[in-house]
Amino acid sequence: MKLNLKIWRQKSPSEQGQFKDYVVNNANEDMSFLEMLDFLNMDLVRKGEEAVQFDHDCREGICGSCSLMINGSPHGPETGTATCQLHIRKFKDGDTIVIEPFRAKAFPVLRDLCVDRTAFDRIMAAGGFCSVNTGNAPEANSILIGKEVAENAMDSAACIGCGACVAACKNASAMLFVSAKVSQFALLPQGKPERSRRVRQMVAQMDKEMFGSCSNTGACEAACPKEISLENMARLNREMLRASVTE
Amino acid sequence: MLDSKIPSGSIEQKWKNRKFESKLVNPSNRRKHTVIVVGTGLAGASAAATLGELGYKVKVFTFHESPRRAHSIAAQGGINAAKNYQNDGDSVYRLFYDTIKGGDFRAREANVYRLAELSVNIIDQCVAQGVPFAREYGGTLTNRSFGGTQVSRTFYAKGQTGQQLLLGAYSSLMRQSGEKSVEIFPRQEMVDVIVIGGKARGIVARNLVTGELQSHLADAVVLATGGYGNVFFLSTNAKQSNATAAWRAHKRGAYFANPCFTQIHPTCVPVSGDYQSKLTLMSESLRNDGRVWVPMKVGDKRAPNEIPESERDYFLERMYPSFGNLVPRDIASRAAKRMCDEGRGVGATGLSVYMDFRDAIQRLGNTVVSEKYGNLFQMYEKITDENPYKVPMRIFPAVHYTMGGLWVDYNLMSTIPGLFVAGEANFSDHGANRLGASALMQGLADGYFVVPYSIANYLGGEKLSAVKQEQDEVKSAIADSQERLNGFMKIKGSQSVDEIHRKLGKIMWEHCGMARNEKGLNDAIKLIQKLKDEFSNDIRIPGDTRLNSELEKANRVADFLELGELMCIDALNRKESCGGHFREEMQTPEGEALRDDQNFSYVAAWEHTGKTPTLHKEALTFENIHLAQRSYK
Ligand SMILES: Cc1cc2nc3c(=O)[nH]c(=O)nc-3n(C[C@H](O)[C@H](O)[C@H](O)COP(=O)(O)OP(=O)(O)OC[C@H]3O[C@@H](n4cnc5c(N)ncnc54)[C@H](O)[C@@H]3O)c2cc1C
Ligand code: FES
């Protein structure tokens, strides 16, 4: 298979970037998208050209490292799929593919396709936890949690923190990410004691990090590789309301 | 002789005794001690968070962009704990017994007993953090079974247990970061340990974004840097997992124990194509319901669904009736290999066997099967384009985990005083074969419960002199690293680092993989030596030293080459078969591993000398569990 790639190249956060054209001639349809980029890089390196920098690690859709806007969509065309799980068989011979980094003020580009998403860590540090020191825990089965509640909490907790929701949103809002964490803890009894403080502080930190406000378009849900649902946002709003009432 | 510092007393009393004897650091003095933790996987994140809670000044390093991206995130199936919630005969003693036997009697009894004891506290801790484990309708925790045991003691969160446990530890870590007791250094790779006066006093870290090298000083260093399965290039490990931290520590004086003990996991998606970058695990939990089989007839090319029941060989159930599909990993992998060697493997290459869910789907229905394994089935389909609800999965063994690692004593301290090693990076608990769902348990036991005591005991008992950035040891450590990196940039050859790495992987898989023999290992050592020359003369790293994946890879692959050679040396030395280490010369008439307890009941701990490594032995004694040939029949 032959693929024409337009890839964003940028040497550092402070330098200007631009698109460069590359052709991959012998892509094979069993390759994953990232393997195709490995293949391109091997070729570039042999020619003495700089390899394209992109983040990746698990290549199984769980670590949240991979990113990329592929033809304008975060993680590419397939729904519920991270870039690392996308396969070349989803493209056609001769296709042109535009590859860019996730774009958001809160995610500065470090080099080429790598961005800095540590803003998410700072939001977590602001309240994304249950305050329990090691050694402090009661016997596990003394906390009963219905199967359905546990499963709903698990669905929210499945977020991989990749930032696709931010990249998809025209306002670069991080609401889906924050709401997933807030929901997980709001659903579980362990999260109840700190629920007001948590939601207030996480949302405040989100604003401080220069994420935009929710655009109410649902683009985030559509782009999420883990299909985190908009229900979480409704829960976040309820938690905010509750926190303001109980204040 | 290596002193493993095992506490006195009966096996049940040892950990209690150690905790009581342990020296302590008073709360107001803890702030005065800086502790460096390298790694934010389960072991590192849990250790760093706990040390922060205790009041130490903690600095955490990870080459990842965020602590949450550590390789632990990918663990699927579950975590063991001896809670006996199922009332099926489990106990701390049984978990201890299963783990020692599963490890083919090559682990240290005292460590394993402590691990089993701590397993129950881990589950309590994780639940309190809000980890959404699977539950029964009544609200209690539920369990599944894993290989090598006859009880149900594995806790899980769908197929994403590692993710949920890591996010739990990460949330505790971020809480400490918010409280400023822990400082996090992401995208920073440790490239050396700083040893002053014979003690670990800091690290050299490379900022991967700017390329700068910087020294960080401390009173103790904890390495929780994961395993080295990526020596093989193709493995189930995350792409960035590497051995550099452990290897550099080894070169500064930390002994490397049992490097040849690697785990080949039986159920992975088979290799396809020459450009594959990694292998994907299909969790062992699938063997609760998936039945493994090959056609009875050699070269049977029919589609799996056309092969009638009477012409299928459910070989694990046939060979090991009491454990069936849930035999330990080393045994299942070897059996699958044997089927393929007999010409009964399936798929285009003949290098795979079926794992079939037909019966489970008939018994439980699609919904229940998808509730249990949905995300794994989906992952499989994305890779292979085949639907496992309709066609049996095809699986083949792949490199997955490394039981070997830096040698540590009972307190998890390496042979460099002040350098502690936790999680997969150490060698301590799994002997020659790790049982499923035990790595998560060990990582968290080490991090939450062992390292904090060991650090207090060490700092409470040592008089440490002040160290400064200007000291010669610090400056020369930085200079060494700089020189090494400059050296890679200067080579300007014709191959990418990955090309060399793939060649190394091939040598290791062929000669130091599922089956090993004297000639093959000797050949491998020669081939690796040649490959090292190729690396030093022919790699190419275009560009500069800022965020450059090629330079990162070169720095890691140089270490993999040296470690690969040590693995072969160790495999050559161990003239017995045990667990995942199968020397073809040493097998029973049925083709099972034949141990030689007379001569090899020891941990092989290798000292780096710059020339041939020196072997030190830690004798293993079994006072509680009777040494016997493992049987899962
Ligand atoms: C696909 C898969 C599934 C698995 N499933 C299970 C399971 O179900 N149950 C189970 O018990 N086990 C499972 N395992 C094994 C288990 O996940 C690992 O053994 C375990 O998570 C290792 O944890 P760790 O904390 O020791 O290291 P890791 O999670 O590997 O973390 C290493 C950390 O060290 C950092 N690091 C490494 N080197 C450096 C350096 N030089 N400088 C700075 N930072 C560094 C990394 O950034 C990372 O943060 C699975 C493994 C795989 C591959
Ligand atoms: S590389 Fe881990 S999610 Fe894609």
Side-chain angles (χ1 to χ4, degrees), chain A residues 60, chain B residues 38-45 61-64 66-67 69-80 146 161-162 166 188-191 224-227 236-238 241-242 244-245 278 281 283 329 400-401 422-425 434-441 443:
Chain A
E60 299 184 353
Chain B
V38 188
T40 62
L42 286 178
F61 293 80
T62 167
F63 60 68
H64 284 97
S66 158
R69 311 230 188 270
H71 162 60
S72 293
I73 201 97
Q76 302 171 349
I79 175 165
N80 288 329
F146 256 62
T161 317
L166 183 63
Q188 300 249 356
E189 183 144 319
M190 169 193 146
V191 292
T225 49
T236 63
N237 290 10
S241 296
N242 69 80
T244 287
K278 76 165 296 232
L281 174 75
S283 167
R329 292 174 177 176
H400 178 60
Y401 181 88
E424 191 173 338
R434 175 173 71 78
L435 290 181
S438 288
L440 302 184
M441 167 171 76

Side-chain angles (χ1 to χ4, degrees), chain B residues 261-272:
Chain B
F261 285 174
T262 45
Q263 174 159 82
I264 316 271
H265 194 297
T267 59
C268 303
V269 182
V271 179
S272 72

Side-chain angles (χ1 to χ4, degrees), chain A residues 11-12 15 28 30-32 35 38-39 41-42 44-53 55-60 62-65 78-81 85 87 89-90 110-111 114-118 120-122 124-125 128-141 143-147 150-151 153-155 157-162 177 181 184-185 188 190 227, chain B residues 46 50 53 63-71 73-74 76 83 85 123-125 127-133 135-141 157-158 160 163-164 167 170-172 174-178 186-187 209 236 238-241 272-273 275-281 371 378-379 381-385 448-449 494-496 499 540-544 546-550:
Chain A
K11 276 197 187 290
S12 74
E15 283 160 88
N28 150 340
D30 281 335
M31 277 180 180
S32 71
E35 282 165 358
D38 292 342
F39 186 61
N41 274 344
M42 183 171 75
L44 291 178
V45 167
R46 283 176 175 166
K47 289 191 291 200
E49 291 178 40
E50 286 177 29
V52 177
Q53 301 301 311
D55 279 317
H56 65 94
D57 197 21
C58 71
R59 299 203 174 189
E60 299 184 353
I62 192 75
C63 73
S65 297
E78 227 187 323
T79 54
T81 305
Q85 292 184 290
H87 277 74
R89 64 176 90 93
K90 302 285 166 182
L110 296 174
R111 188 165 198 165
C114 299
V115 298
D116 179 358
R117 289 167 286 189
T118 49
F120 275 5
D121 290 328
R122 292 186 291 273
M124 284 292 290
F129 47 77
C130 296
S131 298
V132 52
N133 283 357
T134 303
N136 245 327
E139 151 58 41
N141 257 348
I143 308 170
L144 296 181
I145 302 170
K147 189 168 188 282
E151 279 166 10
M154 178 63 215
D155 288 342
C159 167
I160 58 175
C162 63
F177 168 77
K181 208 22 78 178
Q184 177 195 344
F185 290 131
L188 295 171
Q190 301 93 307
E227 306 184 303
Chain B
S46 57
T50 306
E53 288 160 13
F63 60 68
H64 284 97
E65 171 212 18
S66 158
R68 67 180 290 158
R69 311 230 188 270
H71 162 60
I73 201 97
Q76 302 171 349
K83 285 280 196 188
Y85 284 160
I123 302 303
D124 297 346
Q125 191 61 35
V127 166
Q129 290 167 341
V131 170
F133 284 120
R135 302 213 167 228
E136 302 288 349
Y137 281 104
T140 54
L141 290 153
K158 280 203 171 159
Q160 289 122 280
Q163 179 197 27
Q164 295 309 315
L167 292 181
Y170 161 76
S171 69
S172 294
M174 294 323 289
R175 173 172 157 243
Q176 292 309 306
S177 151
R187 291 198 197 257
V209 179
T236 63
K239 281 297 285 176
Q240 314 282 352
S241 296
S272 72
Y275 293 101
Q276 193 154 0
S277 57
K278 76 165 296 232
L279 296 170
T280 304
L281 174 75
E371 240 172 54
Q378 198 189 20
M379 205 192 282
E381 189 170 355
K382 281 198 175 127
I383 297 170
T384 60
D385 222 10
Y448 284 132
F449 301 109
S494 68
Q495 298 185 58
S496 76
E499 289 175 85
R540 177 142 201 183
I541 306 170
D544 53 42
R546 290 176 300 174
L547 203 59
N548 185 343
S549 51
E550 296 305 305

Side-chain angles (χ1 to χ4, degrees), chain B residues 68-264:
Chain B
R68 67 180 290 158
R69 311 230 188 270
H71 162 60
S72 293
I73 201 97
Q76 302 171 349
I79 175 165
N80 288 329
K83 285 280 196 188
N84 193 31
Y85 284 160
Q86 305 307 323
N87 193 29
D88 57 357
D90 202 7
S91 63
V92 167
Y93 204 89
R94 186 172 298 280
L95 175 52
F96 161 60
Y97 174 84
D98 287 346
T99 308
I100 289 283
K101 177 182 167 197
D104 215 355
F105 300 90
R106 290 294 172 262
R108 202 188 273 154
E109 275 194 340
N111 284 58
V112 176
Y113 192 87
R114 172 178 65 190
L115 176 65
E117 261 181 302
L118 291 173
S119 68
V120 299
N121 305 103
I122 295 171
I123 302 303
D124 297 346
Q125 191 61 35
C126 297
V127 166
Q129 290 167 341
V131 170
F133 284 120
R135 302 213 167 228
E136 302 288 349
Y137 281 104
T140 54
L141 290 153
T142 187
N143 294 109
R144 54 168 56 138
S145 304
F146 256 62
T149 69
Q150 289 173 310
V151 296
S152 234
R153 63 159 78 97
T154 305
F155 294 79
Y156 63 98
K158 280 203 171 159
Q160 289 122 280
T161 317
Q163 179 197 27
Q164 295 309 315
L165 295 175
L166 183 63
L167 292 181
Y170 161 76
S171 69
S172 294
L173 180 65
M174 294 323 289
R175 173 172 157 243
Q176 292 309 306
S177 151
E179 293 184 3
K180 307 271 185 275
S181 55
V182 171
E183 193 181 352
I184 299 172
F185 296 82
R187 291 198 197 257
Q188 300 249 356
E189 183 144 319
M190 169 193 146
V191 292
D192 210 348
V193 193
I194 297 172
V195 180
I196 299 175
K199 291 175 189 150
R201 296 305 302 269
I203 63 167
V204 177
R206 177 165 178 269
N207 181 324
L208 299 180
V209 179
T210 63
E212 277 156 356
L213 291 171
Q214 215 196 332
S215 55
H216 298 265
L217 302 178
D219 295 334
V221 176
V222 181
L223 297 189
T225 49
Y228 52 91
N230 278 348
V231 167
F232 291 84
F233 188 80
L234 285 179
S235 87
T236 63
N237 290 10
K239 281 297 285 176
Q240 314 282 352
S241 296
N242 69 80
T244 287
W247 193 252
R248 301 295 163 81
H250 174 58
K251 288 179 117 171
R252 292 273 176 201
Y255 294 179
F256 211 110
N258 300 334
C260 81
F261 285 174
T262 45
Q263 174 159 82
I264 316 271

